Amino acid sequence: MIRAGIIGATGYAGAELVRLLLGHKEAEIVWYGSRSYVDRNYADIYQNMFRLVDDVCLDDNMEAMAEQVDVIFTATPQGLCASLVNEDILHKVKMIDLSADFRIKDVEVYEKWYGIEHKAPQFLEEAVYGLCEINREAVKKARLVANPGCYPTCSFLSVYPLVREGLIDPGTIIIDAKSGTSGAGRGAKVDNLFCEVNENIKAYGVAGHRHTPEIEEQLSLAAGEPVLINFTPHLVPMQRGILVTAYASLRKEVSYEEVKVVYDHYYKKEFFVRVLEKDVCPQTRWVEGSNFVDVNFKIDPRTKRIIMMGAMDNLVKGAAGQAVQNMNLLFGLDETEGLRAAPLFP
Amino acid sequence: MIRAGIIGATGYAGAELVRLLLGHKEAEIVWYGSRSYVDRNYADIYQNMFRLVDDVCLDDNMEAMAEQVDVIFTATPQGLCASLVNEDILHKVKMIDLSADFRIKDVEVYEKWYGIEHKAPQFLEEAVYGLCEINREAVKKARLVANPGCYPTCSFLSVYPLVREGLIDPGTIIIDAKSGTSGAGRGAKVDNLFCEVNENIKAYGVAGHRHTPEIEEQLSLAAGEPVLINFTPHLVPMQRGILVTAYASLRKEVSYEEVKVVYDHYYKKEFFVRVLEKDVCPQTRWVEGSNFVDVNFKIDPRTKRIIMMGAMDNLVKGAAGQAVQNMNLLFGLDETEGLRAAPLFP
Amino acid sequence: MIRAGIIGATGYAGAELVRLLLGHKEAEIVWYGSRSYVDRNYADIYQNMFRLVDDVCLDDNMEAMAEQVDVIFTATPQGLCASLVNEDILHKVKMIDLSADFRIKDVEVYEKWYGIEHKAPQFLEEAVYGLCEINREAVKKARLVANPGCYPTCSFLSVYPLVREGLIDPGTIIIDAKSGTSGAGRGAKVDNLFCEVNENIKAYGVAGHRHTPEIEEQLSLAAGEPVLINFTPHLVPMQRGILVTAYASLRKEVSYEEVKVVYDHYYKKEFFVRVLEKDVCPQTRWVEGSNFVDVNFKIDPRTKRIIMMGAMDNLVKGAAGQAVQNMNLLFGLDETEGLRAAPLFP
Amino acid sequence: MIRAGIIGATGYAGAELVRLLLGHKEAEIVWYGSRSYVDRNYADIYQNMFRLVDDVCLDDNMEAMAEQVDVIFTATPQGLCASLVNEDILHKVKMIDLSADFRIKDVEVYEKWYGIEHKAPQFLEEAVYGLCEINREAVKKARLVANPGCYPTCSFLSVYPLVREGLIDPGTIIIDAKSGTSGAGRGAKVDNLFCEVNENIKAYGVAGHRHTPEIEEQLSLAAGEPVLINFTPHLVPMQRGILVTAYASLRKEVSYEEVKVVYDHYYKKEFFVRVLEKDVCPQTRWVEGSNFVDVNFKIDPRTKRIIMMGAMDNLVKGAAGQAVQNMNLLFGLDETEGLRAAPLFP
């Protein structure tokens, strides 16, 4: 039985980790970390867990935690994980960081986009970017996994095969993304009130969102050349779900079948990536509560562009689900353990 | 392995049955019945099931189905099950009817409130009202289970202990219920369009909703005397969830602790009924996607009334989940098999 | 031209006052008071007012305001208006208080339910409860109007005719109310976040909500005897709207027509109260953005009770609209001026 | 007083026309046309109009209507207006067609994208594309106005100044649009049910939506060369509102100020187009219920692209509001008459 500790267990991503790990046959949570709610019953904060979780919240003491657990999940704002992790801890436990601290290899890029000093750059090289479908083997051997961001996961998986195969011009990629509100976290802000979010859609972080360099770094690796993109996130009046609509110019004329073959080549054996049938557009509803990413594409022969689409649950494949998937890899378990539940609809 | 057949597998309740049975270790679905979509891939209708369900939809042939399955679920409008069931079928399979056909023992009451002739009154006496927490032992021995209605399940479980123990005057019971829109089914009606339901709340079926006699019959059994109630359902702009707020006059002065003891007496050992802590009001969000019913109460010493509350997922404990719970009882399995998933939040 | 000042112009009720007064032919806003946003452009806070309002927010200085305006609206939490008002101010301006400070005549009841000391009890007797349809003549002559609460307005108008005429037993009145989230205000609280409110319904303030004594005082006046009720508010995932479902025992057998005559007697000439046609249930959607209250009723001969229903926009007739209606009365204008816009749908 | 007739008065756009014309000082509706509801009270269909509209619905008889009205609005599916209009009718009345029949000058393009034969191509040249801000003078002299589509209005106004001034390469324009569900109309379809739309976002009509050629034709006129674009609409779980996020490559390096000057040049005097302040993103909430279009832009120096954004109420400026604006122009009234109401928030 894998003993798990969660730092940040009362945020939305942390709570989703709790939900998923409760249904995981090989793992148990032994530390519910939450600085804001120390000594409070976890089930008082997340009443859905009434009678399912009896534990109280503990402080975010990574040293003490490392003595009692096999794996630590940090579901906290950027900066915290980097400020706590050290060689001694990595010696004792596996670490899955859901924040951005170890996702970007270039410390200058990180510090520029996040506006904070990186406290543990010495682990950047070692850390594995935990996009399981791409870095599966590396994850298996890692001590420190950088769990990918929600937008980057959905964006990257939607366009990856065509970038990798050189079918599209990476310099023309434009990613227009739409997210439910849980991605904004559980902080009490006027902007996230029901009356402000409902009946509304808006772009935010235009030409400056922090997930941009993360997507670009991964795309650059896939393309074998530096890639700059436009990435525009939008806030949608729904709880969960990310939809990505990506545009790029085709490098040559291709048929539906030719592109389909490429997607299938990369994803046919992937349990969690579903390439939909022709002309079926991904919808966030069809993946809600699950670890699936649904992708598809449409060629526009008039403009010689291709539109690539992906839908995903931001809290599952975009955060806690992918973290569990990474945990499964780290501990040699079936990659789908605890993650096979069908999407909830309606 | 229990082989299950579903008649009406493409309605919302039927689809929820599919979702739950896919996660059930001892059952497999061998017949996806759907008159409207015969020969269509099930996963074309419910795209969340893409790559999880490969079957095509079949006709609602109960005779043929009875040859191939161990249990038949009918998730169809009232009248259909009664028109198809017969002694021969009940000889071969267990039957769990999610419609109203076998819930009300008095055929006249059924025919008056539902406005149709009952086609199989000969099975009314035999049929067991499948509110597991109340009729557990009878269900275990049944051939034909009448799966309770969504409103009746939540209403009855909220008030049952106090009616049974005589703490409230059953003649004063008023039930004000609120339901998400999935309870209205997947039929294409203007009234259920997003633009009509959203930003709206309304009562409907005031003083005439068909679930009224079902609740009354069960309350009468619990009270040991005929009970008439007021029951008012409301449509709420959400997908899932039923909240019941019930009012009744106390027969004597009681303390919080005295009432709590009564609720605990009936529900402490029930996995699916959670009596919340003092002053915590049930919320539909805390049970979404799960088979739990959260109940609580508040005494008003000023008016000498008690307010009883219950929250439940109408598609799970109010339909498909309770049906699976009944199946577990019918086949001697752990009652919680396939139903232990924690509620989804947010 | 009436010069209006608003204290609390950046709350939801204050902002609705701004919207309504901008469309009012005889009034202009000369003071946008908002302690939290002093010196900020009003249109930066409420971007819908971009290019429609050029003013900056000012402090809540009631003395200074009284020199420059003809009427002061206080759209602030309870306690503030009572702490600022004085004889000198009332000498200079008319005052419409949207808080609870002057609604309840009995200072002890106020202090008990609101848990604060009343700072200006000397004006309680003079203050007029501004439910225009009931106290029209008194409002016209008032200096200080206590604008009714949202729940009390909808609750009272729904049941008033039958209480007044003695058709129902006032001791049996139970009011089950449902409100959109704007009623909770614009404060940044976790409970009001989109992800907490959406897909959820819950009761709150059960047997203890502060609007209870306000409703009871008005009902007692109508009944000519002390009335205690049960009042249960619920939070619904919508922005605007209150729906009231009220229950009471009939004192004698009555027909639909007899009750209809009573409602018509009180409301036929009221522009803002619409008694719907037989069997049509009020819906919040049909009054959104308007000052209308839609009411109707249903007799249940089985239980000898009557169900009374009312729907209203909590920010209009439940707050800012009624305040403007009161202003119109105070200044001798057509009562509907600025309030004739048809409801917005969808 | 302008006498108005509406064909299709019970669709969402028709109903919005009714709402707006009720608040218009110089117009009155004398014909509520609705083939589906002939002889039914209009207020039975749209209960918000109870006691505000006493008329019954009439048939869609354009000949008879032309005898009684000064202006006919057709708020019907494409094809109907073209099949009914003739020289005799245009002789008697002004005509504002909210369908697509007269928007596209090239009959072949129309027939190809809409898949139907055009029944009145002889009026295509005469018809004026009623985007008031662009074609104001032509509209004033027209007999037949083609009221623009919702997506085209918002898309075009967002990018027009930069296309006209040649700042962007029109061949690189990509328009990613998001719409509330009222744009899909009031037809009873499963896809538009609350339970299907809520908690969901999806693209539709990818690379094939019928508004594409309409946008392209207008952009081509503005650019002075043929323009092809990518246009992708998405369905968002909200009632009203369209948000456009448009991307294009800049032809040269420009500063914020230089671009702002261009937008201001075209829109400073336009009452209904609001160029927001720097870094403020348009949100659909800030224009709800109003005829405003909020636009803004953001330069991305890294990719040398510009992101242009626009927000609008699809039923007002995207349909009925713009139709009233056109009516005002046709009859020499103040262009803002009946359209000055501030946006509703929340």
Side-chain angles (χ1 to χ4, degrees):
Chain A
M1 207 67 165
I2 303 166
R3 293 162 307 161
I6 303 171
I7 295 184
T10 54
Y12 287 145
E16 188 71 354
L17 259 175
V18 172
R19 182 179 77 86
L20 293 171
L21 290 174
L22 285 183
H24 193 290
K25 280 188 306 193
E26 310 284 342
E28 60 176 338
I29 306 169
V30 299
W31 189 299
Y32 292 80
S34 172
R35 226 187 310 197
S36 326
Y37 296 104
V38 173
D39 292 338
R40 297 269 314 266
N41 285 322
Y42 186 79
D44 285 353
I45 318 302
Y46 283 94
Q47 214 173 308
N48 52 332
M49 295 306 172
F50 184 60
R51 290 211 337 218
L52 301 177
V53 175
D54 289 331
D55 301 61
V56 297
C57 296
L58 303 175
D59 206 348
D60 297 340
N61 186 332
M62 204 185 273
E63 301 277 358
M65 196 183 274
E67 301 295 330
Q68 302 177 32
V69 308
D70 302 304
V71 60
I72 293 175
F73 296 92
T74 48
T76 50
Q78 56 275 0
L80 188 79
C81 182
S83 73
L84 294 177
V85 72
N86 59 46
E87 185 58 39
D88 186 48
I89 288 170
L90 287 178
H91 215 78
K92 294 175 182 154
V93 297
K94 301 283 188 183
M95 190 101 189
I96 300 173
D97 178 24
L98 281 77
S99 87
D101 286 359
F102 297 98
R103 293 179 194 156
I104 296 171
K105 293 295 176 196
D106 186 331
V107 68
E108 277 180 43
V109 171
Y110 173 90
E111 295 187 342
K112 184 184 141 209
W113 286 79
Y114 284 89
I116 52 173
E117 188 196 349
H118 200 295
K119 295 292 178 53
Q122 68 273 24
F123 298 116
L124 275 173
E125 202 190 321
E126 171 185 357
V128 174
Y129 189 72
L131 195 44
C132 312
E133 285 74 12
I134 309 300
N135 295 330
R136 181 169 288 122
E137 296 311 313
V139 169
K140 288 179 183 172
K141 293 172 287 194
R143 295 194 301 175
L144 170 56
V145 174
N147 208 58
C150 52
Y151 286 124
T153 296
C154 196
S155 300
F156 186 73
L157 290 173
S158 298
V159 306
Y160 170 66
L162 302 193
V163 171
R164 192 82 165 78
E165 295 295 315
L167 264 72
I168 55 177
D169 174 356
T172 64
I173 296 175
I174 287 172
I175 297 176
D176 191 283
K178 299 91 179 165
S179 174
T181 307
S182 58
R186 213 191 189 196
K189 294 180 192 161
V190 168
D191 278 358
N192 296 334
L193 292 178
F194 181 85
C195 284
E196 311 282 319
V197 170
N198 201 38
E199 274 293 288
N200 195 21
I201 181 165
K202 64 173 176 186
Y204 65 99
V206 181
H209 192 276
R210 291 161 168 185
H211 282 171
T212 310
E214 182 181 338
I215 303 171
E216 288 178 344
E217 187 171 296
Q218 294 303 316
L219 287 178
S220 300
L221 288 169
E225 59 172 305
V227 175
L228 291 186
I229 62 164
N230 270 102
F231 168 68
T232 314
H234 297 76
L235 192 66
V236 179
M238 57 187 198
Q239 295 154 200
R240 289 168 177 250
I242 279 182
L243 184 75
V244 156
T245 314
Y247 304 84
S249 294
L250 288 161
R251 273 192 165 135
K252 56 172 186 177
E253 208 173 294
V254 286
S255 68
Y256 167 80
E257 288 71 20
E258 288 169 296
V259 178
K260 182 65 158 55
V261 162
V262 172
Y263 273 98
D264 283 343
H265 172 70
Y266 284 90
Y267 295 142
K268 200 164 50 184
K269 293 183 183 160
E270 293 297 338
F271 183 79
F272 294 122
V273 185
R274 306 191 292 192
V275 184
L276 301 183
E277 295 182 357
K278 198 178 181 203
D279 290 331
V280 177
C281 288
Q283 304 187 21
T284 59
R285 285 301 299 281
W286 300 122
V287 295
E288 189 168 342
S290 82
N291 203 48
F292 291 111
V293 185
D294 283 1
V295 299
N296 213 346
F297 63 90
K298 182 87 186 179
I299 296 164
D300 187 346
R302 298 186 334 126
T303 61
K304 300 182 176 42
R305 294 198 190 97
I306 187 164
I307 298 100
M308 297 151 286
M309 295 165 280
M312 185 192 81
D313 186 319
N314 59 306
L315 290 180
V316 189
K317 182 64 178 172
Q322 185 142 262
V324 171
Q325 194 180 352
N326 276 311
M327 182 191 80
N328 290 338
L329 289 173
L330 286 172
F331 291 87
L333 304 175
D334 177 344
E335 194 172 328
T336 67
E337 173 51 36
L339 299 171
R340 286 185 294 265
L344 187 76
F345 176 87
Chain B
M1 208 65 166
I2 303 165
R3 295 164 302 160
I6 303 172
I7 296 184
T10 54
Y12 287 144
E16 189 70 354
L17 259 176
V18 171
R19 182 179 78 86
L20 293 171
L21 290 174
L22 285 182
H24 194 289
K25 282 188 304 196
E26 310 283 342
E28 60 177 338
I29 307 170
V30 299
W31 189 299
Y32 292 80
S34 174
R35 225 187 310 197
S36 325
Y37 296 105
V38 173
D39 291 336
R40 297 272 309 269
N41 284 324
Y42 187 78
D44 285 353
I45 317 303
Y46 282 94
Q47 214 175 306
N48 53 332
M49 294 306 172
F50 183 60
R51 292 214 329 222
L52 301 177
V53 175
D54 289 330
D55 301 60
V56 297
C57 295
L58 303 175
D59 206 349
D60 297 341
N61 187 332
M62 202 184 274
E63 301 275 358
M65 196 184 274
E67 302 294 330
Q68 301 176 31
V69 306
D70 302 304
V71 60
I72 293 175
F73 296 92
T74 47
T76 50
Q78 56 275 357
L80 187 79
C81 182
S83 73
L84 295 176
V85 72
N86 59 48
E87 186 57 40
D88 186 47
I89 288 169
L90 285 179
H91 216 77
K92 293 174 184 156
V93 298
K94 300 285 188 182
M95 191 103 191
I96 301 172
D97 177 25
L98 280 77
S99 87
D101 287 0
F102 297 98
R103 294 179 193 156
I104 296 170
K105 292 295 174 196
D106 186 331
V107 67
E108 279 182 40
V109 172
Y110 174 89
E111 296 189 339
K112 182 184 144 209
W113 286 79
Y114 284 87
I116 52 173
E117 188 196 348
H118 200 296
K119 293 292 178 52
Q122 69 275 24
F123 297 115
L124 275 173
E125 203 189 322
E126 171 185 358
V128 174
Y129 188 73
L131 195 44
C132 312
E133 284 75 12
I134 309 301
N135 295 330
R136 182 169 286 123
E137 296 312 314
V139 169
K140 288 178 182 172
K141 294 172 284 193
R143 296 195 299 176
L144 170 55
V145 174
N147 208 57
C150 52
Y151 286 124
T153 296
C154 196
S155 300
F156 186 72
L157 290 173
S158 298
V159 306
Y160 169 66
L162 302 192
V163 171
R164 192 80 164 79
E165 295 295 315
L167 262 72
I168 55 177
D169 174 357
T172 64
I173 296 175
I174 288 171
I175 296 176
D176 191 284
K178 299 90 178 168
S179 176
T181 307
S182 58
R186 213 191 188 196
K189 293 180 191 162
V190 168
D191 278 357
N192 296 334
L193 292 178
F194 182 84
C195 284
E196 311 283 318
V197 171
N198 201 38
E199 275 293 291
N200 195 20
I201 180 165
K202 65 174 176 185
Y204 65 99
V206 181
H209 192 277
R210 291 161 170 185
H211 282 171
T212 311
E214 183 181 338
I215 303 171
E216 289 178 343
E217 186 171 296
Q218 294 301 316
L219 286 178
S220 300
L221 288 169
E225 58 173 305
V227 175
L228 292 186
I229 62 164
N230 271 101
F231 168 69
T232 314
H234 296 76
L235 192 66
V236 180
M238 57 186 198
Q239 294 153 200
R240 287 168 179 250
I242 279 182
L243 184 74
V244 156
T245 314
Y247 304 83
S249 295
L250 288 160
R251 271 188 167 141
K252 58 171 184 176
E253 208 172 296
V254 286
S255 68
Y256 167 78
E257 288 71 23
E258 288 170 296
V259 177
K260 181 65 159 55
V261 162
V262 172
Y263 273 98
D264 283 343
H265 172 70
Y266 285 91
Y267 295 142
K268 201 165 48 185
K269 294 185 183 158
E270 293 296 339
F271 183 79
F272 293 121
V273 184
R274 305 191 293 192
V275 183
L276 301 183
E277 294 182 357
K278 199 179 180 202
D279 290 332
V280 176
C281 288
Q283 305 187 21
T284 58
R285 284 302 297 280
W286 300 123
V287 295
E288 188 167 342
S290 82
N291 203 48
F292 291 109
V293 185
D294 284 359
V295 298
N296 213 348
F297 63 91
K298 181 87 184 178
I299 296 164
D300 187 346
R302 297 182 341 121
T303 61
K304 301 181 174 46
R305 294 197 190 99
I306 189 164
I307 300 101
M308 297 152 285
M309 296 167 278
M312 186 193 79
D313 186 319
N314 59 305
L315 291 179
V316 190
K317 182 63 178 172
Q322 185 144 262
V324 171
Q325 193 180 351
N326 276 310
M327 182 191 81
N328 289 338
L329 288 173
L330 286 172
F331 290 87
L333 305 175
D334 178 345
E335 192 171 330
T336 67
E337 173 51 36
L339 299 170
R340 285 185 295 265
L344 187 76
F345 176 87
Chain C
M1 206 69 164
I2 304 165
R3 294 163 304 159
I6 303 172
I7 296 184
T10 54
Y12 287 144
E16 188 71 355
L17 259 176
V18 172
R19 182 179 77 86
L20 293 171
L21 290 174
L22 284 182
H24 193 290
K25 281 188 303 193
E26 310 283 342
E28 59 176 339
I29 307 170
V30 299
W31 189 299
Y32 292 80
S34 173
R35 226 185 311 194
S36 326
Y37 296 104
V38 173
D39 291 335
R40 296 271 311 268
N41 284 324
Y42 187 79
D44 285 354
I45 317 303
Y46 282 93
Q47 215 173 304
N48 52 333
M49 294 307 172
F50 184 59
R51 289 209 339 215
L52 300 177
V53 175
D54 290 330
D55 301 61
V56 297
C57 296
L58 303 176
D59 206 349
D60 297 340
N61 187 332
M62 201 183 274
E63 300 276 358
M65 197 183 272
E67 301 294 331
Q68 301 176 31
V69 306
D70 303 305
V71 60
I72 293 176
F73 296 92
T74 48
T76 50
Q78 56 276 358
L80 188 80
C81 182
S83 74
L84 295 177
V85 73
N86 59 47
E87 185 57 39
D88 186 48
I89 288 169
L90 287 178
H91 216 78
K92 294 174 184 156
V93 297
K94 301 283 188 181
M95 190 102 192
I96 300 173
D97 177 25
L98 280 78
S99 86
D101 286 359
F102 297 99
R103 293 179 194 156
I104 296 171
K105 292 296 176 196
D106 187 330
V107 68
E108 278 181 42
V109 171
Y110 173 91
E111 295 189 340
K112 183 183 143 209
W113 286 78
Y114 284 88
I116 52 173
E117 189 196 345
H118 201 296
K119 294 293 177 52
Q122 68 274 23
F123 297 116
L124 276 173
E125 204 190 319
E126 173 185 356
V128 174
Y129 189 73
L131 196 44
C132 313
E133 285 74 12
I134 309 301
N135 295 330
R136 182 169 288 123
E137 295 311 315
V139 169
K140 288 179 184 172
K141 292 172 286 193
R143 295 194 301 174
L144 171 55
V145 174
N147 208 58
C150 52
Y151 285 125
T153 296
C154 195
S155 299
F156 186 72
L157 290 174
S158 299
V159 306
Y160 170 65
L162 303 193
V163 171
R164 191 81 164 80
E165 294 296 315
L167 263 73
I168 56 178
D169 174 357
T172 64
I173 296 175
I174 287 171
I175 296 176
D176 191 284
K178 299 92 178 167
S179 174
T181 307
S182 58
R186 214 192 188 195
K189 293 180 191 161
V190 168
D191 278 358
N192 297 333
L193 292 177
F194 181 85
C195 284
E196 310 283 318
V197 170
N198 201 37
E199 273 294 288
N200 195 20
I201 181 165
K202 64 174 176 186
Y204 64 100
V206 181
H209 192 277
R210 290 163 171 184
H211 282 171
T212 311
E214 183 181 337
I215 303 171
E216 288 178 346
E217 186 172 296
Q218 295 301 317
L219 287 178
S220 299
L221 287 170
E225 58 173 304
V227 175
L228 292 185
I229 62 164
N230 271 102
F231 167 69
T232 313
H234 297 76
L235 191 67
V236 179
M238 57 186 198
Q239 295 154 199
R240 288 168 179 250
I242 279 182
L243 184 75
V244 155
T245 315
Y247 304 84
S249 294
L250 288 161
R251 273 190 165 138
K252 57 170 186 177
E253 208 172 296
V254 286
S255 68
Y256 166 79
E257 288 71 21
E258 289 169 296
V259 178
K260 182 64 158 57
V261 162
V262 172
Y263 273 98
D264 284 343
H265 172 70
Y266 285 90
Y267 296 142
K268 201 165 48 185
K269 294 183 184 161
E270 293 297 338
F271 182 78
F272 294 122
V273 185
R274 306 191 290 192
V275 183
L276 301 183
E277 294 182 357
K278 199 179 181 201
D279 290 332
V280 177
C281 288
Q283 305 188 20
T284 59
R285 284 302 297 282
W286 300 124
V287 295
E288 189 167 342
S290 83
N291 203 47
F292 291 110
V293 185
D294 284 0
V295 298
N296 212 347
F297 63 90
K298 181 88 184 178
I299 296 165
D300 187 347
R302 298 187 335 126
T303 61
K304 300 181 175 45
R305 293 198 191 98
I306 188 163
I307 298 100
M308 298 151 285
M309 295 166 280
M312 185 192 80
D313 186 318
N314 58 306
L315 291 181
V316 189
K317 183 64 178 173
Q322 185 143 262
V324 171
Q325 193 180 351
N326 276 310
M327 183 191 79
N328 289 339
L329 288 173
L330 286 172
F331 291 87
L333 304 174
D334 177 345
E335 193 172 330
T336 67
E337 173 52 36
L339 298 170
R340 285 184 294 263
L344 188 76
F345 177 88
Chain D
M1 207 68 165
I2 303 164
R3 294 163 303 158
I6 303 172
I7 295 184
T10 54
Y12 286 144
E16 188 71 354
L17 259 176
V18 171
R19 182 179 77 86
L20 293 171
L21 290 174
L22 285 183
H24 194 290
K25 282 188 304 193
E26 310 284 342
E28 60 176 338
I29 306 169
V30 300
W31 189 300
Y32 292 81
S34 172
R35 224 186 309 197
S36 325
Y37 295 105
V38 173
D39 292 337
R40 298 271 309 267
N41 284 323
Y42 186 79
D44 285 354
I45 317 302
Y46 282 94
Q47 214 174 306
N48 52 332
M49 295 305 172
F50 183 59
R51 290 213 331 221
L52 301 177
V53 175
D54 288 331
D55 302 60
V56 297
C57 296
L58 303 176
D59 206 348
D60 297 339
N61 186 332
M62 203 184 273
E63 301 275 0
M65 197 184 275
E67 302 293 333
Q68 301 176 33
V69 306
D70 302 305
V71 58
I72 293 176
F73 296 92
T74 48
T76 50
Q78 56 274 359
L80 188 79
C81 182
S83 73
L84 294 177
V85 73
N86 59 47
E87 185 57 40
D88 186 47
I89 287 170
L90 286 178
H91 216 77
K92 293 176 184 155
V93 296
K94 301 284 187 181
M95 190 103 188
I96 300 172
D97 177 25
L98 280 78
S99 88
D101 287 0
F102 297 99
R103 293 180 194 157
I104 296 170
K105 292 295 175 198
D106 187 330
V107 67
E108 278 181 42
V109 172
Y110 173 91
E111 294 188 341
K112 181 183 145 211
W113 286 79
Y114 284 88
I116 52 174
E117 187 196 348
H118 200 297
K119 294 291 178 51
Q122 68 275 23
F123 296 116
L124 276 173
E125 202 189 320
E126 170 185 359
V128 174
Y129 188 72
L131 195 45
C132 313
E133 284 75 13
I134 310 301
N135 296 329
R136 183 169 287 123
E137 296 312 314
V139 169
K140 288 180 183 172
K141 292 173 286 194
R143 294 194 301 176
L144 170 56
V145 174
N147 209 58
C150 52
Y151 286 124
T153 295
C154 196
S155 299
F156 186 73
L157 290 173
S158 298
V159 306
Y160 169 65
L162 302 192
V163 171
R164 192 81 164 79
E165 295 296 314
L167 263 73
I168 56 176
D169 174 357
T172 64
I173 297 175
I174 288 172
I175 296 175
D176 192 282
K178 299 91 178 165
S179 175
T181 308
S182 58
R186 213 191 189 195
K189 294 178 190 163
V190 168
D191 278 357
N192 297 334
L193 291 178
F194 181 85
C195 283
E196 311 282 318
V197 170
N198 201 39
E199 274 293 289
N200 196 19
I201 179 165
K202 64 173 177 185
Y204 65 100
V206 182
H209 192 276
R210 291 163 170 185
H211 281 171
T212 311
E214 183 181 337
I215 302 171
E216 289 179 343
E217 186 171 297
Q218 293 302 316
L219 286 178
S220 300
L221 288 169
E225 57 173 306
V227 175
L228 292 186
I229 61 164
N230 271 101
F231 168 69
T232 314
H234 298 76
L235 191 66
V236 179
M238 57 186 197
Q239 294 153 201
R240 288 169 179 250
I242 279 183
L243 184 75
V244 156
T245 313
Y247 304 84
S249 294
L250 288 160
R251 273 192 166 138
K252 57 171 185 177
E253 208 172 295
V254 286
S255 69
Y256 167 78
E257 288 72 21
E258 289 171 296
V259 178
K260 181 65 159 53
V261 162
V262 172
Y263 273 98
D264 283 343
H265 171 70
Y266 285 91
Y267 296 143
K268 202 166 47 185
K269 293 185 185 159
E270 293 297 339
F271 183 78
F272 293 121
V273 185
R274 305 190 293 191
V275 183
L276 301 184
E277 294 183 358
K278 198 179 181 202
D279 290 332
V280 177
C281 289
Q283 304 187 22
T284 58
R285 284 301 297 280
W286 299 123
V287 294
E288 188 166 344
S290 82
N291 203 47
F292 291 110
V293 186
D294 284 0
V295 299
N296 213 348
F297 63 91
K298 181 88 185 177
I299 296 165
D300 188 347
R302 297 183 339 123
T303 61
K304 299 182 177 42
R305 292 198 192 99
I306 188 164
I307 300 100
M308 297 151 285
M309 296 166 278
M312 186 192 79
D313 186 319
N314 59 305
L315 291 180
V316 190
K317 183 64 178 170
Q322 186 145 259
V324 171
Q325 194 180 351
N326 276 310
M327 181 190 81
N328 289 338
L329 288 173
L330 285 172
F331 290 87
L333 305 175
D334 177 345
E335 193 172 329
T336 67
E337 173 51 35
L339 298 169
R340 285 185 295 264
L344 187 77
F345 176 87

